[in-house]
Amino acid sequence: MGKGKAPRRTLDSYTLRNINKTIKAGDCVLMRPAERSKPQYVARIERIVADARGGNVKVHVRWYYRPEESIGGRRQFHGSKEVFLSDHYDVQSADTIEAKCTVHSFKSYTKLDAVGNDDFFCRFEYNSATGAFNPDRVAVYCKCEMPYNPDDLMVQCEGCSDCMWECTFDSGFTLLV
């Protein structure tokens, strides 16, 4: 008779000895890529499970995609620290976590006094199968006709700050202007 799967139990938190940090569901982390030349993967922990003895710890994660990993790729308005919360879920060994990080809302990110290596921002959810974004509309600006990129300095014109119109990119991504 074959061995059955060992019972798993959900953990409220888990301390990563290699970085001396405690993780819990809802935390964002940087995970080791398969190829060292690639950037670390960004993920949100959904659940932490271990075997009955508390070993073999696995994290259920929801991946963030970088713009270059999405259909359509990186565009001029994407910030260097921008990620998209995807519908892609996975189970990984807790040993692949290299650091904790923070994924801010776009609004809170733009208010940071200093951006650290572990700071990212998210303004879209991304459907990895269809390439669709949610929201599928975002404000753009009258001179550059692009959404705000927090990496670039932007000066607001008092006369047209409320200007809005629609512009559709070739990927079907519609922006409000």
Side-chain angles (χ1 to χ4, degrees):
M1 185 140 104
K3 266 186 171 179
K5 274 192 166 187
R8 312 278 300 160
R9 62 185 174 105
T10 299
L11 304 176
D12 291 330
S13 64
Y14 177 70
T15 300
L16 300 161
R17 290 185 185 96
N18 59 332
I19 62 171
N20 198 29
K21 297 277 185 187
T22 300
I23 58 168
K24 62 185 182 324
D27 285 346
C28 292
V29 294
L30 297 172
M31 301 189 78
R32 182 175 40 250
E35 297 176 38
R36 275 293 179 192
S37 61
K38 302 268 186 188
Q40 294 167 309
Y41 296 116
V42 182
R44 183 174 73 195
I45 297 172
E46 300 292 311
R47 201 171 95 193
I48 306 167
V49 296
D51 63 22
R53 295 175 300 204
N56 193 20
V57 178
K58 303 283 185 189
V59 288
H60 293 244
V61 298
R62 184 173 180 186
W63 295 111
Y64 285 93
Y65 280 39
R66 287 188 169 80
E68 53 273 12
E69 298 166 332
S70 68
I71 296 171
R74 181 171 288 280
R75 296 183 180 252
Q76 181 181 355
F77 63 86
H78 291 133
S80 60
K81 305 288 282 205
E82 186 162 6
V83 292
F84 312 137
L85 183 60
S86 78
D87 60 346
H88 180 178
Y89 293 83
D90 207 352
V91 178
Q92 297 288 311
S93 169
D95 295 337
T96 61
I97 297 172
E98 295 186 322
K100 287 177 75 170
C101 66
T102 304
V103 178
H104 302 272
S105 70
F106 181 70
K107 187 176 182 177
S108 67
Y109 180 85
T110 59
K111 292 180 180 182
L112 291 176
D113 290 329
V115 176
N117 289 337
D118 60 348
D119 287 310
F120 296 88
F121 73 91
C122 179
R123 59 180 154 182
F124 301 106
E125 286 193 21
Y126 177 68
N127 183 309
S128 60
T130 66
F133 288 90
N134 185 21
D136 63 355
R137 297 171 187 264
V138 64
V140 299
Y141 296 87
C142 61
K143 288 289 183 193
C144 63
E145 298 182 15
M146 296 297 272
Y148 178 56
N149 179 340
D151 297 339
D152 297 334
L153 178 63
M154 186 171 281
V155 178
Q156 181 179 2
C157 172
E158 289 181 20
C160 63
S161 62
D162 293 331
C163 178
M164 300 281 258
W165 71 87
E166 280 196 14
C167 172
T168 304
F169 285 123
D170 56 347
S171 69
F173 192 85
T174 303
L175 303 174
L176 291 179
V177 182

